Amino acid sequence: MKKTKLNKAHYILNGKMVEFTGWDMPVQYSGINTEHNAVRTYGGIFDVSHMGEIFLRGKQALDAVQYITSNNAAKLKPGKIQYSALLTENGCFVDDILVYMLSENEYLLVVNASNIDKDYKWIKEKIVHFDVNINNESTDYSQIAIQGPVSEKLLSEFTKEDLCAIKYYHFIKGEIKGIDSIISRTGYTGEDGFEIYFKSDEDTASKLFLDLLDKGKKYNVIPAGLGARDTLRLESSMALYGNDIDNSHTVLEANLGWILKLKKGDFIGKNFLLKQKNEGINRKLIGFELIDRGIARHGYPIYVDNKEYGTVTSGTYAPYLKKAIGMTYLPVERTEIGTKFQIQIRNNKILAKVVETPFYKRDKKN
Amino acid sequence: MNLDDFKFTKEHEWVKVEGDIGIIGISDFAQKEFGDIVYVELPSVGEKIKKGDACANIESVKAVDDIYTPISGEIIEVNEELESNPENINKDPNGKGWIIKIKIENKKEIENLMNNNQYNDFLNGIS
């Protein structure tokens, strides 16, 4: 099994370890509910070093990024980040990614852990005609996510940089405890927070993780695992590759039209999506809440007009909102807020309704 | 809590016998393995179940699992309070966290279960 450079820290912290797409990762430390609500109220620290870092460098780096992604990378400036997608010719997902513009000729693509090898191979194949080099530096980089309202206060104890000046979806290069890092104001929890990327040995990485927790104690910051990461992202209606988005649903069907810029130049999937946009989609990803008691989970069958239509793509008990929520695809004419449908939970068909997303939205105080 | 009156299964359910009635729940070890319990699906009163049947369903944020009855009989009461306070199983697995009460059909089924000491030995063997 693969191990992140912070692996030792998880054992010191007595994390409950599980295999996650080939990685030995903590699913929880103190409990998913506790960790989830700590992130919403104070802060939580996650090891997300399993995520992939693929760099594109060269004269035509921007052209290459534009060709392989759906969003308009020409809008980026050095220090700016964009949520985007790698799409198939049919407009479906190879992966959803973050694009970091490091400099005029250098971009960093942050990809899902389960897709690193697939993405690297796919990108390499698609960019052969561009003057650009591709490097998969995923194993060199560790990534720690500091998420929650106290993130800025806590992280500023570790750096001289002015964190307040980093706006959402922006980053700087700076030192964290003397370690060269990319300090990025991003996250997968729906809270304010930072994701820091750095290269170091195992002891340094583990020590930084433990030091962050140590200094975080006074703010009630605790370590958080993949379990809370999943419930936090779902409560904030963020899609997960492999659940809500995949290679059989298009970016339009996934309700992610805002990362699709059809007016930019040529890119993979453009022709198909132009056509789909004109003709309209048949199904759309929605958020739902259960009306009856129960918890819907990934893979449970859904019924529209008493006919089996598809399955729940993500479902959980939302620890902060304290209700059962989830996402699924529905026929587009049945996606209006309040529309009812059924989910089969064991032997019963349970009533659910379409609700507004995001389920949870933080108050933006700052 | 004194658990001398409790009998346990390898699947971590417990039975406490009071006359003809068997009270069924899950052990402290089981509730810890589950983590925060957020939902309990209970059977109907009057239902007749056989040893080994699924008689309730417990869900934590991440996990979902059936609870199997260690004894056969008719369900005479279910702990409805768990519908609004499922966390009672975490807080008090051998008390307030009981799940169902059964009119015992065959007392012999109880003799084959582990007592508290045997169950603790069993836990030490698996952990």
Side-chain angles (χ1 to χ4, degrees):
Chain A
M1 226 186 317
K2 286 179 275 187
K3 289 175 181 174
T4 72
K5 290 189 170 129
L6 284 71
N7 190 266
K8 204 170 73 181
H10 306 315
Y11 283 88
I12 292 171
L13 294 164
N14 212 3
K16 191 170 179 182
M17 304 301 283
V18 295
E19 194 202 311
F20 176 76
T21 63
W23 293 84
D24 184 37
M25 295 298 282
V27 63
Q28 63 173 64
Y29 305 84
S30 49
I32 295 173
N33 270 347
T34 309
E35 292 164 28
H36 182 112
N37 289 321
V39 171
R40 290 266 179 265
T41 327
Y42 310 106
I45 305 200
F46 303 75
D47 175 14
V48 282
S49 305
H50 57 313
M51 300 288 286
E53 290 84 12
I54 295 172
F55 289 81
L56 291 175
R57 299 182 181 100
K59 265 187 213 155
Q60 287 190 294
L62 174 61
D63 296 338
V65 171
Q66 285 289 61
Y67 180 64
I68 60 168
T69 65
S70 62
N71 209 333
N72 186 4
K75 294 263 172 161
L76 287 169
K77 289 176 188 139
K80 209 172 170 338
I81 306 158
Q82 192 172 66
Y83 181 55
S84 193
L86 307 175
L87 300 177
T88 66
E89 291 291 352
N90 292 330
C92 297
F93 291 84
V94 176
D95 203 357
D96 64 328
I97 63 170
L98 290 181
V99 180
Y100 286 67
M101 182 172 179
L102 298 163
S103 68
E104 200 184 326
N105 298 319
E106 189 182 18
Y107 292 81
L108 159 64
L109 312 184
V110 179
V111 307
N112 278 302
S114 53
N115 289 334
I116 298 172
D117 295 340
K118 178 188 79 173
D119 289 356
Y120 175 72
K121 219 178 124 201
W122 185 87
I123 297 168
K124 205 173 167 176
E125 203 182 285
K126 301 296 176 191
I127 59 166
V128 283
H129 299 301
F130 294 95
D131 183 3
V132 66
N133 291 313
I134 177 169
N135 291 96
N136 176 10
E137 299 182 17
S138 302
T139 48
D140 302 335
Y141 276 92
S142 293
Q143 193 197 147
I144 295 175
I146 301 111
Q147 300 282 300
V150 306
S151 304
E152 189 185 299
K153 236 192 283 178
L154 172 58
L155 193 58
S156 39
E157 293 183 28
F158 288 78
T159 182
K160 279 180 270 176
E161 305 292 343
D162 178 14
L163 298 178
C164 186
I166 310 173
K167 284 184 284 182
Y168 192 51
Y169 266 71
H170 285 72
F171 70 94
I172 58 163
K173 285 182 173 177
E175 283 187 5
I176 301 279
K177 273 269 173 135
I179 311 162
D180 287 328
S181 306
I182 292 172
I183 308 169
S184 163
R185 195 156 207 153
T186 45
Y188 196 46
T189 60
E191 292 305 320
D192 183 23
F194 296 87
E195 292 173 308
I196 54 175
Y197 304 78
F198 57 94
K199 292 183 189 177
S200 79
D201 59 31
E202 291 172 16
D203 286 345
T204 312
S206 285
K207 187 168 184 307
L208 177 59
F209 192 75
L210 295 171
D211 283 351
L212 281 163
L213 287 167
D214 197 41
K215 296 268 187 202
K217 241 179 221 162
K218 60 181 175 293
Y219 303 118
N220 298 313
V221 167
I222 56 173
L226 294 183
R229 183 168 157 85
D230 189 45
T231 53
L232 285 159
R233 70 92 195 162
L234 182 51
E235 206 175 59
S236 315
S237 308
M238 294 173 176
L240 171 64
Y241 182 88
N243 279 31
D244 316 298
I245 53 179
D246 56 26
N247 64 4
S248 61
H249 293 92
T250 73
V251 64
L252 289 169
E253 291 167 341
N255 209 15
L256 286 170
W258 64 276
I259 62 166
L260 176 66
K261 299 293 150 66
L262 289 165
K263 284 180 188 150
K264 71 169 188 173
D266 188 31
F267 64 94
I268 301 162
K270 181 177 181 176
N271 290 337
F272 185 94
L273 290 162
L274 266 174
K275 196 164 157 262
Q276 190 176 53
K277 190 156 192 195
N278 284 331
E279 291 172 358
I281 51 172
N282 296 320
R283 55 185 180 179
K284 197 169 89 176
L285 186 66
I286 57 91
F288 66 78
E289 214 177 280
L290 296 197
I291 298 173
D292 296 333
R293 291 185 70 245
I295 300 171
R297 302 197 183 260
H298 174 73
Y300 286 7
I302 67 151
Y303 288 79
V304 177
D305 299 331
N306 288 317
K307 264 188 259 160
E308 193 167 343
Y309 182 77
T311 57
V312 171
T313 56
S314 285
T316 192
Y317 173 82
Y320 188 79
L321 298 175
K322 300 200 188 306
K323 54 190 175 189
I325 57 167
M327 297 201 264
T328 189
Y329 286 88
L330 285 183
V332 75
E333 67 278 9
R334 304 303 294 272
T335 55
E336 221 161 287
I337 305 300
T339 308
K340 291 175 183 158
F341 62 98
Q342 290 175 307
I343 300 171
Q344 188 175 335
I345 301 180
R346 292 176 286 281
N347 299 320
N348 302 316
K349 284 189 188 143
I350 297 291
L351 210 54
K353 66 173 181 195
V354 180
V355 296
E356 301 256 13
T357 51
F359 304 106
Y360 166 83
K361 202 169 185 200
R362 75 183 159 104
D363 297 333
K364 284 193 182 152
K365 293 152 205 145
N366 45 349
Chain B
M1 185 182 238
N2 185 345
L3 298 179
D4 290 350
D5 297 345
F6 288 71
K7 296 276 199 171
F8 296 87
T9 70
K10 286 183 179 171
E11 287 74 38
H12 312 288
E13 290 98 8
W14 57 257
V15 188
K16 190 184 174 200
V17 180
E18 288 181 354
D20 294 342
I21 310 301
I23 309 170
I24 293 167
I26 65 167
S27 72
D28 188 50
F29 173 85
Q31 69 80 12
K32 280 190 188 128
E33 284 292 295
F34 261 107
D36 305 314
I37 292 168
V38 292
Y39 180 72
V40 181
E41 197 174 284
L42 297 164
S44 313
V45 171
E47 216 175 294
K48 285 193 174 130
I49 50 177
K50 287 257 168 265
K51 177 186 167 187
D53 285 351
C55 64
N57 189 277
I58 294 186
E59 303 198 32
S60 63
V61 179
K62 268 275 153 236
V64 42
D65 221 341
D66 285 323
I67 304 304
Y68 302 98
T69 176
I71 51 172
S72 309
E74 184 186 330
I75 298 171
I76 55 157
E77 199 179 336
V78 298
N79 186 357
E80 278 168 9
E81 207 189 318
L82 294 178
E83 294 193 346
S84 41
N85 298 308
E87 68 279 4
N88 281 355
I89 296 179
N90 292 117
K91 286 182 189 156
D92 189 10
N94 299 97
K96 272 181 150 181
W98 68 274
I99 299 169
I100 55 170
K101 289 184 185 172
I102 286 184
K103 182 147 196 272
I104 302 167
E105 196 179 282
N106 178 2
K107 283 216 170 180
K108 275 196 182 141
E109 284 176 351
I110 294 165
E111 291 164 17
N112 299 324
L113 302 174
M114 292 177 275
N115 66 29
N116 190 34
N117 287 337
Q118 290 166 324
Y119 179 62
N120 281 327
D121 290 345
F122 169 70
L123 289 182
N124 289 330
I126 62 170
S127 58

